[in-house]
Amino acid sequence: MTPFMPASSDTPLVELRKVSLAYGSGPARMLALEDATLDIAKGEFIAVVGPSGCGKSTLMKLVTGLLPPSGGEVRVHGQPVKGPIRGVGMAFQAPTLMPWRTTRDNILLPLEVVEPHKRRFRANKAEYIERVEKLLASVGLGGFGDKFPWQLSGGMQQRSSLCRALVHEPEILMLDEPFGALDAFTREELWSVMQALWLEKRFTAVLVTHDLREAVYLADTVYVMSRRPGRIVKVSKIELPRPRTLETTFTAEFVDIVHDLRERIHMEHA
Amino acid sequence: MTDRQRSLLLVAMPWLAMAGLLLLWELACIVFDVPEILAPKPSRIFEVMVQRWDILLKFCLETLWTTAIGFVLAIGFGVLLGLAIGASPFIYSGLYPLLIAFNAVPKVAIVPILMIWLGVGALPAIITAFVISFFPIVVNVATGLATIEPEMRDVMRSLGASQWEILTKVGVPRAMPYLFASLKVAVTLAFIGSVISETVGGNRGIGFLMLSAGARNDSATTFAGLFAIAIMGILMYAACALVERRMTRWAFRGEIVG
Ligand SMILES: Nc1ncnc2c1ncn2[C@@H]1O[C@H](COP(=O)(O)OP(=O)(O)OP(=O)(O)O)[C@@H](O)[C@H]1O
Ligand SMILES: [Mg+2]
């Protein structure tokens, strides 16, 4: 049973089949996610929205294999997921950079760990550093590579964290409220940076967010989750043309979609 | 008060406090006419320190030596054990209670046993210094590892990093400030260890010097030994603090200058 078949044909990159997850055991057992079924096509950008504590972060950890499901099945490339799938890029609400590394060295980290870069890292360091500098420049951080993360502002740290998630050109990118802690201006600027990177590299992205405008701006498909235990209660295809701009967010079409989504979420709070 | 005066005063404060304390001591000795055998005047103690500096230095160096060897052993062993305990929940649950029990045993109690096994000399002092100082190192290194942010771990795991890579790229650098913080404590403990061992039974070191001077009712020399220990303690502590600043500048967010 595949209710939400994405537009592009063949097998989807990620398949979740009736996935559920419970934390704890015995009387402390708590169902966080119930019967989640969804497909993510290669190169698709999906967003997951829903009330706080409904299991969005949990869903993300299931997709990357960081958590084993309590029930159901997660498949990536048609293979059942056992243990963390390799080479995924992740960014969280907190930047989680290493304070003992410079910004540049922080962003180099995935290249020291993920094959095939790991093998070529020592011999090709100069080339990789150049790649990092390019990426830094593309998020407006050119020339800040030598600074330590604690010498950067919150927004700059968050940009660095996005660079780290992207530098090894991952097939899958996981974003858990990466813009949540930023001011409105920086946030909207980073939406456009994110979209530009996605249009260029076409990675598959899962974005968890509280911000409906953000979800509609960035995603091809928006999933709305119910209150705990989280179930998917609405799927919304966003057909707006790309590249979307801030202007797009003021069009009637955009506002209508956001409005629909908001209404569905309000039902959860009722 | 200007900023310059403020910072000067901050630097001068420890010296002023020490001078005040010594002055108080000196005055108390004079006012209450304390006999030298009970508590010699600080001026008298310094006099002895100057007169007998060669002997003091010789015994001090012996103690410094045993302390340093014991301390280095404690760092090596403590770091390895701390890494193992911090990295593996099984090693943690297996060894932690044992370590606590071991740490609760007063180390004075093991010196006589060491002497039965090893005789008198440098070895019991080295081992006492080692045994007494490795515990804080183990605990701190293990804490540094065990408190890695779960998000950092998730980032590493989803990149496909092995346990070993997580340990070397995140765990070890993260544990460094914890390690250096513990070294300051551990070096003072190592001192206590070797002096205890020299005092309980030994034929060398500043502890032995104090004991034999005490037996001859030479209080001034005993107190001179005490002062010498305090000075060495401060120097070792300062050395560790200096290394700490050099090695873990990031942990202070660059705030410490100099
Ligand atoms: N490690 C854990 N142990 C036990 N319960 C957990 C754990 N992590 C999450 N939970 C519970 O599972 C539920 C879903 O958590 P999750 O973090 O997925 O929510 P979320 O949708 O990401 O919320 P938010 O929007 O606030 O980040 C919550 O009720 C939470 O209390
Ligand atoms: Mg969350």
Side-chain angles (χ1 to χ4, degrees):
Chain A
M1 194 184 69
T2 51
F4 315 120
M5 206 58 192
S8 73
S9 52
D10 30 281
T11 55
L13 180 63
V14 180
E15 303 162 79
L16 267 67
R17 293 287 168 270
K18 289 189 153 299
V19 171
S20 62
L21 187 115
Y23 285 107
S25 55
R29 186 180 156 92
M30 196 200 60
L31 202 54
L33 193 72
E34 199 176 11
D35 272 352
T37 297
L38 62 90
D39 289 335
I40 310 171
K42 186 161 175 49
E44 193 184 14
F45 200 128
I46 75 155
V48 181
V49 297
S52 181
C54 70
K56 301 184 294 294
S57 302
T58 305
L59 182 77
M60 235 183 59
K61 287 186 187 161
L62 285 164
V63 171
T64 50
L66 287 173
L67 275 177
S70 314
E73 193 181 34
V74 181
R75 288 168 169 270
V76 174
H77 284 302
Q79 301 294 317
V81 169
K82 308 187 193 75
I85 46 179
R86 309 184 125 243
V88 175
M90 287 196 130
F92 302 93
Q93 182 167 5
T96 59
L97 299 167
M98 301 172 174
W100 55 87
R101 287 178 174 232
T102 60
T103 303
R104 179 184 304 114
D105 289 343
N106 263 293
I107 301 173
L108 283 171
L109 175 79
L111 303 172
E112 297 169 23
V113 173
V114 178
E115 295 290 6
H117 310 291
K118 182 179 171 179
R119 206 175 323 133
R120 340 176 31 241
F121 187 77
R122 267 169 207 280
N124 299 275
K125 192 150 180 202
E127 170 197 325
Y128 283 129
I129 286 178
E130 198 175 316
R131 184 196 286 207
V132 169
E133 295 299 341
K134 261 201 202 136
L135 202 54
L136 276 171
S138 73
V139 299
L141 276 184
F144 282 94
D146 287 322
K147 294 264 188 278
F148 284 94
W150 36 270
Q151 294 171 318
L152 304 181
S153 75
M156 292 157 98
Q157 290 182 27
Q158 205 58 40
R159 290 166 211 237
S160 317
S161 158
L162 284 178
C163 289
R164 182 184 60 191
L166 287 166
V167 70
H168 55 296
E169 310 201 328
E171 193 170 30
I172 304 177
L173 181 66
M174 293 284 158
L175 304 166
D176 194 348
E177 300 182 38
F179 315 119
L182 303 176
D183 65 281
F185 296 114
T186 314
R187 194 182 314 157
E188 287 168 359
E189 185 197 330
L190 286 184
W191 292 352
S192 120
V193 169
M194 193 73 234
Q195 178 177 245
L197 288 168
W198 180 77
L199 286 174
E200 187 195 330
K201 311 237 158 85
R202 288 291 173 161
F203 42 80
T204 306
V206 178
L207 168 72
V208 166
T209 178
H210 283 131
D211 186 338
L212 298 179
R213 290 174 63 237
E214 178 174 304
V216 176
Y217 184 109
L218 285 171
D220 297 318
T221 317
V222 177
Y223 292 84
V224 180
M225 287 178 64
S226 70
R227 269 195 297 179
R228 208 184 69 215
R231 278 167 297 107
I232 293 167
V233 292
K234 183 177 168 70
V235 184
S236 193
K237 289 256 160 223
I238 316 294
E239 312 279 6
L240 300 169
R242 298 201 188 246
R244 300 167 191 164
T245 62
L246 266 190
E247 287 308 313
T248 317
T249 67
F250 299 112
T251 61
E253 223 184 332
F254 188 96
V255 174
D256 281 348
I257 301 173
V258 172
H259 190 78
D260 276 0
L261 290 171
R262 176 150 292 144
E263 223 148 59
R264 188 62 194 81
I265 291 186
H266 269 292
M267 280 166 61
E268 290 306 317
H269 284 288
Chain B
M1 199 161 34
T2 65
D3 275 357
R4 211 182 120 68
Q5 282 169 329
R6 253 184 81 85
S7 53
L8 269 179
L9 192 62
L10 271 179
V11 176
M13 270 319 277
W15 301 100
L16 291 178
M18 193 153 55
L21 194 69
L22 291 176
L23 205 65
L24 215 65
W25 179 347
E26 185 88 24
L27 285 177
C29 285
I30 296 170
V31 172
F32 299 111
D33 199 18
V34 183
E36 185 179 315
I37 184 152
L38 275 187
K41 294 196 282 285
S43 56
R44 171 85 185 111
I45 298 172
F46 285 122
E47 195 186 323
V48 172
M49 285 177 84
V50 173
Q51 272 169 7
R52 316 189 61 183
W53 66 271
D54 49 342
I55 299 174
L56 276 169
L57 190 66
K58 172 174 170 285
F59 283 91
C60 273
L61 284 179
E62 282 172 0
T63 303
L64 209 56
W65 222 172
T66 48
T67 305
I69 297 176
F71 183 51
V72 168
L73 286 177
I75 295 176
F77 181 75
V79 168
L80 286 182
L81 195 61
L83 288 178
I85 285 182
S88 155
F90 295 105
I91 299 181
Y92 175 89
S93 74
L95 291 189
Y96 212 68
L98 273 179
L99 272 176
I100 303 276
F102 186 74
N103 193 48
V105 174
K107 301 302 175 297
V108 197
I110 66 162
V111 178
I113 302 174
L114 287 177
M115 295 203 164
I116 296 173
W117 290 344
L118 307 167
V120 285
L123 214 49
I126 291 174
I127 292 180
T128 318
F130 160 72
V131 155
I132 205 171
S133 64
F134 82 85
F135 186 74
I137 301 179
V138 173
V139 171
N140 268 36
V141 171
T143 309
L145 279 194
T147 52
I148 296 175
E149 299 88 342
E151 285 87 4
M152 198 63 237
R153 205 180 276 280
D154 282 352
V155 167
M156 292 298 285
R157 288 215 300 149
S158 59
L159 286 173
S162 62
Q163 285 300 321
W164 176 251
E165 279 170 319
I166 297 182
L167 185 70
T168 53
K169 291 197 188 291
V170 188
V172 170
R174 224 197 104 81
M176 280 299 129
Y178 290 83
L179 168 65
F180 286 110
S182 74
L183 291 191
K184 291 186 292 191
V185 181
V187 77
T188 351
L189 286 176
F191 245 108
I192 296 176
S194 44
V195 174
I196 284 179
S197 166
E198 289 161 2
T199 322
V200 169
N203 54 5
R204 58 198 302 290
I206 199 80
F208 171 69
L209 177 81
M210 285 169 64
L211 202 69
S212 46
R216 293 193 316 269
N217 289 338
D218 182 357
S219 291
T221 305
T222 313
F223 274 83
L226 207 62
F227 277 28
I229 293 175
I231 292 169
M232 283 195 291
I234 292 178
L235 289 181
M236 292 282 246
Y237 183 96
C240 286
L242 195 72
V243 176
E244 179 184 17
R245 280 193 213 171
R246 280 286 154 80
M247 303 294 287
T248 57
R249 206 170 72 88
W250 60 267
F252 301 103
R253 304 291 184 262
E255 261 162 40
I256 291 185
V257 275

